[in-house]
Amino acid sequence: MPRPAMTETIEPTYSRVITALYPVLQRITVREWSGLENVPKTGGFVAACNHTSNMDHFPLAHFLVEAGRAPHYLAKDSLFKPPGVKQIMYGCGQIPVYRGTSRATSALSAAKEALQRGACVCIYPEGTITREPDFWPMTGKTGAARLALETGVPLLPIAMWGTRDIMWPYRDKLPKLLPAKLVQVSAGPPVDLDDLRDQPITATTLRTATTRLMDQITGLLEDVRGIPAPAERFDPRGHAADPTRGGKTA
């Protein structure tokens, strides 16, 4: 099946990469998707998704491409170093993150510029693969909310489930691509930030926006999994959860 037409102009390298990967992703996943109509067709927006596996990037990209949008990830700078991979990453407009260096803030500046150009920027607001024992979303970091408030773009909540069956976090070194695994992705309406957009961007404002975002992602995931999330959201600070032990698979 040919890939869907894009609703935006993208880099030639990115177009070739999408064309090459689309049929592969069609083969290795059985897809249950909902909320494609909530993905903005034009203009910049932040796509914020829960994070349960190192394989999340590909099904999330697949979902967004199906909606006609090309995702731009904030990715660790080491991925921009190997020859060949470096050219693909830059050629696809991905954004390097220089953690723990004086250049760490450059990623947010680059993300803002991409959003202002009308791009889709993908962020995992938890900042890492969840440590919650049953893989529910943890407390979120404020970067996604900050980008949305500083640029005025929509903040789109997305929930994903099933990628652990392709690559279990912190255990599997290589993905199990066949047989095809069920991957469920659901996008909700953009988070309502209207009452916050004219306010100063303070720690309180960012935390309010982030709480709304994580509430919506968690609600979407409850619908996908068919069970309620814990009443209290997991905060990794002060916990020593072991994600390799697994948890419920519902």
Side-chain angles (χ1 to χ4, degrees):
M1 177 185 295
R3 70 172 174 88
M6 307 302 288
T7 61
E8 59 181 314
T9 301
I10 61 175
E11 299 87 345
T13 297
Y14 207 167
S15 181
R16 290 192 289 271
V17 168
I18 291 173
T19 298
L21 288 180
Y22 186 81
V24 176
L25 292 171
Q26 289 282 99
R27 178 173 181 123
I28 67 173
T29 59
V30 176
R31 295 158 300 285
E32 286 187 3
W33 288 345
S34 61
L36 281 166
E37 70 279 2
N38 291 318
V39 179
K41 297 303 180 187
T42 59
F45 70 99
V46 177
C49 186
N50 65 306
H51 199 9
T52 64
S53 167
N54 284 324
M55 276 299 295
D56 289 343
H57 321 305
F58 297 100
L60 177 57
H62 192 184
F63 178 84
L64 291 165
V65 166
E66 193 70 26
R69 301 307 304 266
H72 296 76
Y73 288 94
L74 276 70
K76 57 186 179 181
D77 64 296
S78 60
L79 295 175
F80 291 76
K81 294 178 180 178
V85 177
K86 173 182 177 180
Q87 285 73 17
I88 292 173
M89 294 293 284
Y90 281 115
C92 293
Q94 306 307 303
I95 302 167
V97 177
Y98 302 92
R99 293 178 178 171
T101 73
S102 60
R103 302 174 65 188
T105 60
S106 65
L108 284 180
S109 297
K112 285 176 62 176
E113 292 174 5
L115 290 167
Q116 290 163 347
R117 292 195 306 268
C120 161
V121 172
C122 293
I123 292 181
Y124 300 111
E126 297 161 272
T128 187
I129 292 173
T130 182
R131 264 74 169 178
E132 203 281 333
D134 287 329
F135 294 93
W136 290 103
M138 303 187 293
T139 54
K141 299 182 183 298
T142 60
R146 178 180 290 278
L147 284 172
L149 289 171
E150 288 185 345
T151 60
V153 303
L155 177 59
L156 188 75
I158 301 176
M160 180 160 45
W161 190 247
T163 52
R164 296 170 308 142
D165 294 330
I166 303 174
M167 192 171 187
W168 196 270
Y170 305 105
R171 185 189 70 191
D172 293 342
K173 301 300 182 183
L174 295 173
K176 300 177 177 65
L177 300 181
L178 294 174
K181 311 298 190 301
L182 173 65
V183 175
Q184 298 161 283
V185 185
S186 178
V191 178
D192 184 2
L193 301 176
D194 289 347
D195 61 319
L196 303 178
R197 292 198 184 276
D198 293 331
Q199 296 185 22
I201 300 177
T202 64
T204 299
T205 303
L206 291 172
R207 180 50 52 196
T208 298
T210 300
T211 298
R212 292 180 190 177
L213 170 64
M214 300 312 297
D215 284 347
Q216 286 192 227
I217 292 174
T218 302
L220 290 167
L221 191 58
E222 286 179 321
D223 291 340
V224 167
R225 294 178 63 174
I227 56 175
E232 184 176 347
R233 185 163 297 129
F234 184 85
D235 188 336
R237 295 171 296 184
H239 289 77
D242 178 9
T244 64
R245 72 182 181 219
K248 300 172 186 174
T249 58

